[in-house]
Amino acid sequence: MQAIGEMNITPRILLGPGPSMVHPRVLRAMSAPLTGHLDPEFLQLMEETKEMLRAVFQTGNFLTIAISGTGSAGMETCLVNLIEPGDEVLVCVNGVFGTRMSDIVERCGGKLVRVDVPWGKPVTPEDLKKGLAKSKPKLVCVVHAETSTGAWTQLPALVNLAHEAGALFLADTVTSLAGCPVKIDEWGVDAVYSGTQKCLSCPPGLSPVSFSEAAMKKLRARKTKPQSWYLDVSMLEKYWGQERVYHHTAPITMNYALRESLRLVLEEGLDARFARHERNHKALVAGLEAMGLKMVVAPGERLWMLNSVHIPDGVQDAAVRSLLLKEFNIEIGGGLGDFKGKAWRIGLMGESSTRNHVLLVLVALECALTKQGFKLKPGAGIEAASKLL
Ligand SMILES: *Cc1c(COP(=O)(O)O)cnc(C)c1O
């Protein structure tokens, strides 16, 4: 075998659906010396992380921890712990991630009640009412920020409907957490998961989760063990709690990264961070529309951190994305599922949500679209965006 050369990764500007850009302080934290996963200093770090996660989730939930694994591991953690075989579970599906939840519900032996909502639309109280009229679920699952489409679902009314029907409420906040308000206690969400690599701007690898008392009660009343040993919250609780019972070796370095990224989020302040995401999103949309592009999601229903835009007729998806990557070092996302080849997904998450990135991606798109023969007024995108920045 020939010797493999040293790794030499090109620094990219990450404007896709995640991972997002990572602050140098987070990368620096990751180069700190390793400790053991039961070292007193590491245990202290876990306590600080729990405290900061509670602040970011806006919850007092005792069980607020970081699962070892990406956002999907958090999704699986919530579902395997809260579903017992035969339980009826209602999942609202308006994109890829609701579809993924449905798959996991069935793998847990849950009786799936699926409420399908058109892709690109948020889930409305009327949608959920229709589902509740034909079922008696123990758990209702909704994606707050559907990253596959860019649609923003408002949770409070949905949580109330679920509770009135006697169900617990599970929210996916992988893309929303630290990018727009997520108020777990105020809204009454019973179980929630997120991911580190979207608006928390940390590398992928951990999934913050939080369970309310009602969710913990359901967990403690289980007659059967959860199907997953690794994600069993009743065991993880003993490692993250005072007992410190070894369960699995925590990914030490990732926990350093999460701690630092949470510090950055709280230093900026949640409200200031949300306002930054909103401002940059609005500027980007103004720029895209001034260039003659059309957004997938209707105004008022758009996420601030993920912008889906229709690919105009006659423009080649792959050619544009490859030019952005090769000539500008910019990654944007392609469409998923129903939107494959039909939409681009431009992420402005966490550290990626900056004025400079908005202006740069507009220039890069103008260049790529012009090469494809798409007619636009030169500079119109930048001009429209600048007015809002
Ligand atoms: C990214 C994402 C996930 C999955 O997270 P992974 O880290 O890719 O496992 C789940 N839900 C939503 C809404 C996401 O955006």
Side-chain angles (χ1 to χ4, degrees):
M1 193 195 92
Q2 272 202 330
I4 310 263
E6 193 181 344
M7 184 173 69
N8 189 14
I9 302 283
T10 307
R12 301 287 194 204
I13 295 169
L14 298 171
L15 303 181
S20 57
M21 309 289 287
V22 172
H23 195 284
R25 263 171 55 186
V26 172
L27 294 176
R28 221 154 44 225
M30 294 179 82
S31 62
L34 274 195
T35 61
H37 58 285
L38 293 170
D39 188 294
E41 289 185 14
F42 187 70
L43 299 180
Q44 172 64 23
L45 179 150
M46 290 166 77
E47 289 303 300
E48 292 161 351
T49 297
K50 284 193 289 186
E51 200 179 307
M52 289 192 285
L53 279 177
R54 288 190 191 109
V56 173
F57 273 128
Q58 306 195 43
T59 184
N61 284 343
F62 184 73
L63 192 108
T64 302
I65 62 176
I67 297 296
S68 307
T70 65
S72 307
M75 181 189 290
E76 199 140 19
T77 299
C78 292
L79 294 170
V80 299
N81 283 282
L82 295 177
I83 300 173
E84 282 198 89
D87 281 359
E88 216 169 355
V89 179
L90 189 154
V91 182
C92 299
V93 180
N94 63 338
V96 165
F97 296 104
T99 309
R100 185 173 297 180
M101 283 209 255
S102 306
D103 185 355
I104 300 176
V105 166
E106 291 187 319
R107 287 167 193 249
C108 297
K111 258 176 64 191
L112 174 68
V113 181
R114 197 178 146 137
V115 174
D116 277 282
V117 175
W119 284 43
K121 300 296 290 175
V123 178
T124 64
E126 286 62 44
D127 297 323
L128 180 53
K129 276 182 201 158
K130 268 183 231 151
L132 289 171
K134 58 173 188 189
S135 63
K136 186 85 185 71
K138 295 200 168 151
L139 181 67
V140 168
C141 312
V142 178
V143 178
H144 188 204
E146 204 10 290
T147 323
S148 61
T149 69
W152 185 348
T153 290
Q154 303 303 321
L155 296 183
L158 303 180
V159 179
N160 291 342
L161 284 171
H163 285 168
E164 280 161 22
L168 293 176
F169 192 89
L170 166 62
D172 173 321
T173 64
V174 175
T175 282
S176 52
L177 190 70
C180 70
V182 171
K183 303 180 178 183
I184 295 311
D185 286 4
E186 187 181 317
W187 298 346
V189 172
D190 295 292
V192 61
Y193 59 89
S194 190
T196 45
Q197 79 274 29
K198 313 256 167 125
C199 293
L200 288 171
S201 264
C202 178
L206 290 175
S207 174
V209 301
S210 186
F211 280 46
S212 72
E213 259 320 299
M216 291 306 290
K217 212 168 128 199
K218 160 90 181 158
L219 186 77
R220 297 213 168 90
R222 289 184 70 105
K223 295 191 186 70
T224 55
K225 287 184 180 178
Q227 75 189 68
S228 168
W229 177 90
Y230 196 71
L231 303 174
D232 184 334
V233 164
S234 65
M235 295 163 89
L236 291 170
E237 191 188 9
K238 294 200 173 75
Y239 172 50
W240 281 84
Q242 287 314 308
E243 298 96 325
R244 304 295 178 188
V245 179
Y246 161 69
H247 178 258
H248 67 278
T249 311
I252 304 295
T253 304
M254 276 311 305
N255 279 278
Y256 296 166
L258 176 58
R259 179 185 183 279
E260 194 59 23
S261 66
L262 288 167
R263 263 165 43 81
L264 283 159
V265 169
L266 296 172
E267 270 175 31
E268 180 174 11
L270 291 179
D271 290 342
R273 193 175 179 89
F274 302 155
R276 169 166 64 83
H277 280 81
E278 181 179 17
R279 183 172 63 246
N280 290 325
H281 152 75
K282 287 191 168 150
L284 177 68
V285 171
L288 293 171
E289 289 181 340
M291 286 163 67
L293 296 172
K294 292 197 170 56
M295 302 302 291
V296 169
V297 179
E301 300 176 348
R302 295 173 185 155
L303 291 174
W304 297 337
M305 57 294 275
L306 195 283
N307 302 274
S308 282
V309 51
H310 286 294
I311 300 174
D313 287 341
V315 169
Q316 284 190 341
D317 175 18
V320 169
R321 282 192 288 132
S322 129
L323 184 142
L324 258 53
L325 194 66
K326 288 201 186 110
E327 294 189 17
F328 293 89
N329 264 329
I330 296 176
E331 175 183 280
I332 64 165
L336 279 184
D338 292 4
F339 290 131
K340 193 168 189 314
K342 297 188 181 137
W344 291 310
R345 290 180 302 149
I346 305 175
L348 294 175
M349 302 179 178
E351 294 294 316
S352 296
S353 175
T354 68
R355 174 180 179 275
N356 283 1
H357 291 155
V358 169
L359 296 175
L360 185 60
V361 76
L362 288 171
V363 169
L365 274 174
E366 176 173 322
C367 176
L369 287 168
T370 306
K371 268 204 180 144
Q372 292 274 312
F374 181 75
K375 293 272 177 295
L376 53 78
K377 187 169 151 246
I382 289 291
E383 192 189 337
S386 299
K387 285 189 186 135
L388 299 177
L389 287 169

